[in-house]
Amino acid sequence: METGRIVEIVVTIAGIVIVISSFWFLSVKKMTANFVVIWEIIGVALVMLGGTFRLSVWGTMIYEDGEHLAICISVAGLFICYQFSLVVSSLLMKNHEMAMEVSMLLQEKNETFKIPEKDLLIILPVKNEEKNIRKLLEQLFCPEIGKIADVLCVNDGSKDRSGQVIDEYPCIQIRNIFGLGYGSSLQLGYKYALRKGYQYVIQMDADGQHDVCNIPLIYQKLTANDGNGRSADIVLASRFMEGSSEFKVSALKKFAFWLFRFMIYVLSGRKIADPTTGLQGLSRKAFAYYSQYNNFDHQYPDANMVLQMLLLKFQVAEIPAVMHVRKDGKSMHSGLEPVWYMPRMFLNVLAVVFRIKGLKIF
């Protein structure tokens, strides 16, 4: 076999191995989604390069100069970088888990343990929301909400005065030792709720988009039993059901909602109107599961977590919600972030199915 043909085979096989192994490591929680997206792109590029190597300018130069060894060395270098990304991913995951525990311990050090008088905890991940958090907290401490729920603010390394504003209100504040991200802040809230003995959790954004009028309705749905004596484990507050308030979204987001609705329906048989809603209620069974290591996406827990819980036979319900457009501050989905979010969530959704249905990892 001629040397050029060997190079083509090596490059193609390297690409295929990278594509398959990256998805595998995402499924078994050994590589973060950010790294996986990068390596999937590289893997596909290598497969395409291997198939068109003789036709490319680069390939012609390699053949003319006889530098076949260079391409083999490059492939070897790629695999070294791949191993490095696995190590970094493992360190990042463990670092997040350890940071959550340290943040929790620092909070508990200055807090006297007592059994909560209320069974509902409202969790607010907060990051640089100085302009929005005050109005939201004022609404949360109105008599209607205050009599049924405690409020936990997880301050995710805010650089503005969010922390000082939170301290003005009778709520619990956990300060992450550094910015852990939206998912880890939520998971920290679940861990806190589990340790303190709360029975229900409602998570909502701190940017003012989630109207507090939804809280009693979510709580009512969580505590109600159906005709068979079962209650919901997860209640999704939807922007796109009959009875929901009007909520305008961009064309790109509309496509994302359609895609993830379609994927969830095909993979689970359930129609979910708003699979990316951040306003959710959870029973103790649900947030106890989420609080465990590797059971929750520490970056962007959205449609992938909804599908995961459906496949695990948790009871998921939806209710129409009232939501508003953000008025101040910067959204975590602003700029080009939605473009990056799409392939990451797409791969995460597929990985959830493979992990649960294929690998039987629960």
Side-chain angles (χ1 to χ4, degrees):
M1 184 181 296
E2 62 178 4
T3 307
R5 183 58 179 162
I6 294 175
V7 172
E8 291 176 358
I9 293 173
V10 169
V11 172
T12 303
I13 291 177
I16 294 172
V17 169
I18 287 174
V19 168
I20 294 175
S21 61
S22 296
F23 182 74
W24 172 276
F25 286 126
L26 177 64
S27 300
V28 298
K29 302 291 186 74
K30 297 296 184 182
M31 184 181 286
T32 64
N34 285 336
F35 275 123
V36 170
V37 172
I38 293 171
W39 283 111
E40 291 288 341
I41 293 172
I42 292 173
V44 170
L46 286 175
V47 172
M48 294 175 64
L49 179 62
T52 60
F53 191 76
R54 292 176 183 271
L55 303 177
S56 66
V57 176
W58 186 34
T60 302
M61 293 173 58
I62 294 290
Y63 283 117
E64 289 178 352
D65 298 338
E67 297 175 357
H68 303 101
L69 183 61
I71 192 69
C72 295
I73 294 174
S74 299
V75 170
L78 272 178
F79 278 100
I80 292 173
C81 292
Y82 193 86
Q83 291 298 320
F84 179 76
S85 64
L86 278 173
V87 173
V88 172
S89 292
S90 177
L91 291 175
L92 285 173
M93 293 175 186
K94 292 178 180 177
N95 189 40
H96 272 245
E97 187 69 16
M98 185 178 298
M100 281 190 282
E101 291 298 326
V102 172
S103 299
M104 181 87 71
L105 289 172
L106 290 175
Q107 165 64 25
E108 292 179 341
K109 180 181 179 182
N110 301 315
E111 182 182 63
T112 303
F113 178 81
K114 60 179 181 179
I115 298 175
E117 298 177 359
K118 303 159 189 172
D119 62 359
L120 173 63
L121 179 68
I122 297 173
I123 301 175
L124 301 174
V126 181
K127 188 175 182 67
N128 299 329
E129 295 291 356
E130 175 187 353
K131 296 180 179 180
N132 299 307
I133 191 66
R134 186 186 299 278
K135 181 179 179 181
L136 177 58
L137 289 176
E138 287 176 357
Q139 295 172 341
L140 287 174
F141 285 102
C142 70
E144 183 182 11
I145 306 299
K147 69 181 180 182
I148 63 172
D150 291 327
V151 179
L152 167 65
C153 293
V154 182
N155 189 344
D156 190 35
S158 296
K159 299 184 184 302
D160 61 5
R161 295 189 66 257
S162 296
Q164 292 92 313
V165 174
I166 294 169
D167 284 337
E168 297 174 12
Y169 294 84
C171 58
I172 309 151
Q173 179 174 191
I174 296 179
R175 298 175 184 266
N176 290 342
I177 57 176
F178 57 85
L180 296 176
Y182 177 72
S184 289
S185 295
L186 281 177
Q187 191 177 39
L188 179 52
Y190 304 146
K191 290 177 179 289
Y192 182 90
L194 187 65
R195 293 186 185 183
K196 297 302 180 181
Y198 290 94
Q199 299 303 308
Y200 304 99
V201 153
I202 293 178
Q203 64 185 55
M204 59 189 302
D205 293 347
D207 57 9
Q209 292 195 66
H210 299 159
D211 199 297
V212 298
C213 72
N214 298 295
I215 292 175
L217 301 175
I218 296 173
Y219 183 55
Q220 182 181 5
K221 188 69 174 179
L222 278 172
T223 55
N225 290 328
D226 61 16
N228 298 318
R230 297 176 301 180
S231 56
D233 296 311
I234 300 174
V235 177
L236 306 175
S238 172
R239 292 163 287 186
F240 311 114
M241 292 178 69
E242 184 177 351
S244 302
S245 62
E246 184 178 354
F247 192 87
K248 295 182 179 180
V249 294
S250 65
L252 180 60
K253 287 185 177 181
K254 284 183 179 179
F255 173 73
F257 296 147
W258 172 84
L259 175 63
F260 297 131
R261 283 192 205 108
F262 177 75
M263 293 181 72
I264 289 175
Y265 177 69
V266 170
L267 297 169
S268 73
R270 276 289 303 274
K271 291 183 178 180
I272 300 295
D274 193 354
T276 67
T277 178
L279 180 57
Q280 301 182 20
L282 297 93
S283 69
R284 186 174 177 86
K285 177 184 176 183
F287 70 75
Y289 179 82
Y290 275 163
S291 69
Q292 298 175 36
Y293 181 67
N294 262 349
N295 282 356
F296 194 71
D297 187 341
H298 71 268
Q299 292 182 304
Y300 290 107
D302 275 333
N304 55 335
M305 293 294 96
V306 174
L307 178 60
Q308 171 182 280
M309 302 308 266
L310 286 170
L311 293 178
L312 292 175
K313 306 303 180 183
F314 282 77
Q315 299 298 314
V316 179
E318 277 191 290
I319 62 170
V322 176
M323 297 194 191
H324 311 286
V325 177
R326 171 191 277 271
K327 294 181 179 180
D328 294 295
K330 182 180 179 182
S331 170
M332 64 180 180
H333 290 298
S334 60
L336 295 176
E337 180 58 30
V339 178
W340 183 249
Y341 165 87
M342 285 289 290
R344 183 169 52 194
M345 186 55 59
F346 181 81
L347 288 170
N348 262 319
V349 167
L350 295 180
V352 163
V353 179
F354 181 62
R355 180 169 62 252
I356 295 174
K357 292 295 188 180
L359 301 179
K360 307 297 181 182
I361 298 176
F362 307 131

